[in-house]
Amino acid sequence: MDDKEFQKSFQMIVDVATQHGFATRDSLKNAYGLSAMESSQVIRMVMQKYPDLFKWDHESSSHRAHWEDVQKKKSA
């Protein structure tokens, strides 16, 4: 995994989580105009380094990273 690519993807997650309180595939799609596949790739790339950051949300049937968790990883 390219570190520059990871940093870009992680920053996208940080920005969306800061704005909405969470980051999901749909929130990335809406914020950056990404396709479903592209937003999934962003999440997958971040999950490779931080596998516990995204939790499965049964209500929305999506992976969701909460702002508080994202901030902890950002500070680490």
Side-chain angles (χ1 to χ4, degrees), residues 3-17:
D3 190 54
K4 195 173 192 176
E5 219 176 309
F6 168 79
Q7 290 301 326
K8 180 181 175 187
S9 295
F10 186 66
Q11 189 59 53
M12 292 169 78
I13 300 292
V14 169
D15 293 345
V16 170

Side-chain angles (χ1 to χ4, degrees), residues 7-61:
Q7 290 301 326
K8 180 181 175 187
S9 295
F10 186 66
Q11 189 59 53
M12 292 169 78
I13 300 292
V14 169
D15 293 345
V16 170
T18 300
Q19 184 176 22
H20 298 285
F22 61 88
T24 61
R25 185 178 74 174
D26 285 340
S27 63
L28 286 165
K29 282 173 46 180
N30 292 333
Y32 291 101
L34 302 174
S35 68
M37 184 180 290
E38 291 168 327
S39 59
S40 291
Q41 289 172 335
V42 168
I43 290 172
R44 193 171 20 260
M45 181 172 292
V46 172
M47 286 178 72
Q48 286 177 356
K49 186 167 183 175
Y50 299 128
D52 59 336
L53 179 60
F54 282 84
K55 309 283 189 279
W56 184 254
D57 180 41
H58 294 283
E59 192 171 310
S60 65
S61 294

Side-chain angles (χ1 to χ4, degrees), residues 61-74:
S61 294
S62 63
H63 285 96
R64 179 179 294 256
H66 291 280
W67 180 83
E68 297 85 3
D69 298 327
V70 171
Q71 290 302 312
K72 288 177 190 173
K73 297 297 183 190
K74 185 179 175 190

